[in-house]
Amino acid sequence: MTRPLTLALTMAALSGLSACGGGDTTAAADGVAADCDTKAYVAGAVVAPTLDDLKAYAGTFNGDEGSYDGGGTFTKSGTAKLVIGVDGAITYKDAKQTVTSICMDKTAGPVGKLVYFIVGKGHLDVADKPAMGLGQAWGVSPVDGTTIFTNGLK
């Protein structure tokens, strides 16, 4: 996969949060860290995951932090560990984060079925299977809201 294509996939995943709005908040199952704020997505595209749904996404993901330049080249500035609990709780770089929304795609796409976490100052997208060039988890750091997290693998 070429770097521009990798950047395009990353940007498409990151921009999913700014997709056409329409909808409201749907309640997640009891015990889940947050409801699904559907207003940030295309109407009807996401649902609140159940606890059973979240089990497939739970685990530890080790990935890279850094930034992309205008040409699509990723510059790594460090590493990060993302831990997703079976209830959707998030720990990033060994610090517990506040999760405000958890949504799951209704249908699978090119990288499988995604769960979207709005967490801390950023957001994280987690696929049920690894995607070339992105890993299985990617997004924007919940710590600072600007640093890219990518190549997260269980």
Side-chain angles (χ1 to χ4, degrees):
M1 181 174 288
T2 64
R3 289 179 197 235
L5 183 54
T6 301
L7 176 61
L9 286 172
T10 301
M11 292 310 178
L14 297 177
S15 68
L17 293 175
S18 62
C20 300
D24 24 13
T25 301
T26 59
D30 290 338
V32 176
D35 291 338
C36 173
D37 182 0
T38 60
K39 292 182 293 271
Y41 304 90
V42 172
V46 295
V47 296
T50 66
L51 286 173
D52 281 343
D53 293 331
L54 288 175
K55 286 178 187 175
Y57 301 87
T60 300
F61 300 82
N62 293 300
D64 298 324
E65 281 192 322
S67 60
Y68 284 98
D69 67 15
T73 301
F74 181 76
T75 301
K76 180 178 171 178
S77 60
T79 60
K81 179 173 72 173
L82 164 66
V83 179
I84 302 173
V86 294
D87 62 351
I90 298 280
T91 301
Y92 188 82
K93 295 178 83 168
D94 296 325
K96 185 175 168 88
Q97 300 294 320
T98 301
V99 178
T100 56
S101 177
I102 305 173
C103 297
M104 183 174 71
D105 278 336
K106 283 186 176 178
T107 59
V111 294
K113 196 172 253 191
L114 291 167
V115 171
Y116 307 100
F117 296 87
I118 306 299
V119 55
K121 295 180 180 178
H123 63 87
L124 299 163
D125 302 348
V126 184
D128 61 358
K129 63 182 179 181
M132 185 182 290
L134 291 174
Q136 194 170 349
W138 59 87
V140 177
S141 168
V143 175
D144 64 18
T146 58
T147 303
I148 300 295
F149 173 73
T150 191
N151 299 318
L153 294 171
K154 273 189 185 182

